[in-house]
Amino acid sequence: MLQEIPTIQITDVKHYVNQTVRIGVWLRQKRGSGKIAFLQLRDGTAFFQGVVVKSDVSEETFEIAKSLKQETSMYVTGEIHEDTRSDFGYEMAISGIEIVGESHDYPITPKEHGVDFLMDHRHLYLRHLKPFATLKIRNELIRATYEFFNKEGFTKLDSPILTGSAPEGTTELFETDYFGESAYLSQTGQLYAEAGAMAFGKVFTFGPTFRAEKSKTRRHLTEFWMIEPEMAFTTQEESLEVQERYISYLIESVLKNNEQELDILGRDKEVLRSYTQLPYPRLSYDDAIQLLQDNGFDVEWGVDFGSPEETFLAEHFSKPVFIVNFPKEIKAFYMKRHPTRDDVVISADLLAPEGYGEIIGGSERDTDYEYLKTRIEEQGLDLAEYQWYLDLRQYGTVPHSGFGLGLERMITFVTGEEHIREAIPFPRMISRIRP
Ligand code: 4AD
């Protein structure tokens, strides 16, 4: 009896050397002569080459191979061989082609296209090497996040996307009508995570967050995904230790599981590995201002850092660096007062090296009902919206700390991508809501 030909995926071809298999693929590119056709194929798991030799196949199969268009989908059948000349290491000697879906005039050709063109065709551009590699790494960072926090005893708690509160400032809100009332797309899940920490001890939220950022920079999206851990009975210093362990764990996971993708993107793996060395330096905001001034920056105590300052500070240490204890006036209402100074709060931003900027913002949370009430009023927020949050300080308040990691910022840092728009399948920015 004839053995049935197995249908497999490209990543599995190493287990089928010298065997005949069938794979569902798309054609990326094609080259060849009158006697041979080289087909660059992909199936979503990997990229490899199939070779059609005229003298080895039927006339019809060779004609089909020659007429294939970019992005045609098909099943290819053939024997798997080792191929020491390619990075992938294997290729297929194709003996049969069954077309599944034809393709004509595919718009993204091997020639160079501008950024706007590629973003307008993002629904198709996802199929190409760089987005593939970047978004595979995104997937790994999400997987490793769940793994890390599960190992550390956290409970995943989902926070709502439609909210009545705007704890990170009221200027960057997307407002919507909620049955006659105003509601906002969530800027942060933190306040809900704090409620969760009082119920589950250690929680993390992970979801889309929204900021109507008018700034057109390579680090800002209007819709980005944030991971927000929150821990009861935890001081800021303990939280910083979780943060650096988490970042190091994420980088190690990508180094272990995404070698192919890092190579596609040309990311230096040894440089990345150096960022897994702990601890990360801690530099006070005061010292950071001093250091910047000593190096010719025109900054005064009290300002928030811009991109050049952040780049300088992290480059100075050649690794991620925590800037701790920011001025109270430039930070959110919930941050804990410093025990001996009235002008700073117990907060920290983690700055990534190589110009990737702030990847984490976090703080210890103040636990005092009256103080928080005053801060909410001072910041011009609607006290009624925060009554439930203040309840957390009325019924067994405890020291607690937490932080938020911007997933897309972390992706650009790990992948070495220049612009944050590459780090999310369908980016939302001030001038882009389609596709
Ligand atoms: O520093 P942020 O505003 O902190 C918070 O929202 C806190 N509630 C977090 C917490 O303590 N639970 O934002 C946290 C991180 C930033 O460090 C950055 O990585 C990312 O979110 N982020 C953005 N990423 C992309 N586009 C934007 N517009 C972003 N704004 C913040």
Side-chain angles (χ1 to χ4, degrees):
M1 204 179 85
L2 269 180
Q3 242 189 338
E4 206 181 313
I5 295 171
T7 300
I8 66 164
Q9 295 189 309
I10 297 178
T11 38
D12 293 327
V13 296
K14 53 183 174 291
H15 306 302
Y16 292 88
V17 175
N18 298 331
Q19 294 181 48
T20 298
V21 298
R22 179 173 180 258
I23 310 180
V25 295
W26 288 263
L27 178 76
R28 295 176 58 220
Q29 279 168 44
K30 182 186 72 181
R31 60 187 177 82
S33 64
K35 292 183 180 150
I36 191 162
F38 297 100
L39 310 183
Q40 305 305 322
L41 307 171
R42 60 172 188 88
D43 76 339
T45 69
F47 302 82
F48 90 143
Q49 176 168 277
V51 186
V52 192
V53 180
K54 188 175 182 187
S55 56
D56 293 349
V57 298
S58 69
E59 207 168 302
E60 192 198 350
T61 300
F62 195 71
E63 282 310 308
I64 293 174
K66 267 192 1 196
S67 65
L68 288 173
K69 299 274 190 319
Q70 193 181 355
E71 289 306 315
T72 297
S73 55
M74 61 198 147
Y75 282 105
V76 289
T77 304
E79 207 170 275
I80 301 300
H81 295 152
E82 285 192 44
D83 171 25
T84 46
R85 289 156 306 173
S86 77
D87 289 344
F88 185 65
Y90 304 90
E91 65 177 21
M92 178 188 265
I94 294 177
S95 50
I97 299 173
E98 307 153 60
I99 305 277
V100 176
E102 292 193 356
S103 166
H104 298 286
D105 303 323
Y106 182 71
I108 309 175
T109 56
K111 71 166 194 195
E112 285 275 316
H113 295 283
V115 167
D116 278 336
F117 181 87
L118 292 177
M119 282 292 150
D120 288 343
H121 293 86
R122 186 72 174 166
H123 53 295
L124 299 175
Y125 189 47
L126 292 180
R127 306 172 180 204
H128 293 246
L129 268 176
K130 265 179 72 172
F132 174 85
T134 308
L135 297 176
K136 278 283 192 187
I137 289 175
R138 178 187 175 100
N139 181 61
E140 175 61 17
L141 291 172
I142 294 169
R143 191 202 63 76
T145 290
Y146 279 85
E147 188 172 82
F148 177 83
F149 287 112
N150 278 314
K151 275 189 189 167
E152 297 242 347
F154 283 68
T155 298
K156 163 91 192 310
L157 194 85
D158 302 308
S159 55
I161 288 173
L162 288 167
T163 71
S165 59
E168 303 296 336
T170 49
T171 54
E172 298 169 352
L173 282 172
F174 284 110
E175 192 172 345
T176 180
D177 172 67
Y178 193 75
F179 306 109
E181 279 191 64
S182 275
Y184 310 104
L185 296 183
S186 177
Q187 295 174 308
T188 167
Q190 179 194 322
L191 304 193
Y192 301 97
E194 287 189 52
M198 301 304 136
F200 299 88
K202 292 196 278 187
V203 298
F204 72 105
T205 68
F206 174 47
T209 41
F210 305 86
R211 297 195 189 175
E213 304 265 11
K214 298 244 166 56
S215 38
K216 240 186 179 172
T217 80
R218 62 189 183 90
R219 293 183 191 161
H220 287 92
L221 295 166
T222 54
E223 179 179 307
F224 64 98
W225 287 65
M226 188 154 50
I227 293 129
E228 294 187 270
E230 193 68 36
M231 300 157 279
F233 295 104
T234 299
T235 63
Q236 171 74 344
E237 182 49 36
E238 290 165 329
S239 170
L240 295 188
E241 286 165 17
V242 174
Q243 293 175 41
E244 59 191 4
R245 272 207 309 284
Y246 171 43
I247 296 297
S248 173
Y249 190 87
L250 290 181
I251 297 174
E252 273 173 14
S253 301
V254 170
L255 282 167
K256 188 165 151 233
N257 299 321
N258 296 98
E259 212 187 324
Q260 173 191 223
E261 287 78 16
L262 290 171
D263 288 342
I264 289 173
L265 296 167
R267 186 67 165 129
D268 187 324
K269 291 187 285 255
E270 284 324 300
V271 170
L272 264 190
R273 202 175 307 282
S274 71
Y275 304 144
T276 62
Q277 299 286 320
L278 300 184
Y280 296 150
R282 280 100 163 120
L283 182 71
S284 72
Y285 174 87
D286 296 355
D287 289 345
I289 288 286
Q290 188 65 54
L291 184 65
L292 288 165
Q293 286 172 348
D294 292 348
N295 284 277
F297 284 85
D298 183 19
V299 286
E300 292 293 321
W301 196 96
V303 298
D304 212 350
F305 299 133
S307 177
E309 290 85 19
E310 289 181 353
T311 300
F312 172 83
L313 290 168
E315 278 304 281
H316 187 77
F317 295 92
S318 314
K319 61 193 320 199
V321 53
F322 288 112
I323 310 297
V324 307
N325 301 349
F326 278 81
K328 181 166 123 185
E329 290 316 317
I330 57 170
K331 288 293 180 186
F333 75 86
Y334 49 71
M335 294 192 180
K336 188 178 170 65
R337 286 161 290 177
H338 191 276
T340 58
R341 283 175 60 178
D342 193 38
D343 55 345
V344 296
V345 283
I346 307 296
S347 62
D349 284 358
L350 182 65
L351 307 183
E354 301 177 67
Y356 292 101
E358 181 200 319
I359 50 174
I360 290 183
S363 71
E364 189 161 336
R365 321 306 190 187
D366 211 283
T367 53
D368 186 80
Y369 182 93
E370 288 303 331
Y371 172 77
L372 285 171
K373 190 169 160 232
T374 309
R375 288 295 288 152
I376 289 168
E377 283 168 342
E378 276 173 6
Q379 298 213 351
L381 299 170
D382 178 4
L383 192 58
E385 286 296 344
Y386 295 88
Q387 205 51 57
W388 68 267
Y389 177 75
L390 289 171
D391 269 1
L392 304 173
R393 283 23 180 205
Q394 301 253 59
Y395 306 106
T397 190
V398 298
H400 62 290
S401 303
F403 62 94
L405 171 80
L407 177 65
E408 290 78 14
R409 295 259 181 104
M410 184 65 189
I411 296 167
T412 48
F413 169 44
V414 172
T415 59
E417 285 287 327
E418 271 286 298
H419 201 291
I420 196 162
R421 65 179 165 238
E422 309 295 341
I424 184 159
F426 295 97
R428 296 290 174 254
M429 292 172 292
I430 176 166
S431 52
R432 181 161 297 279
I433 193 171
R434 298 187 182 84

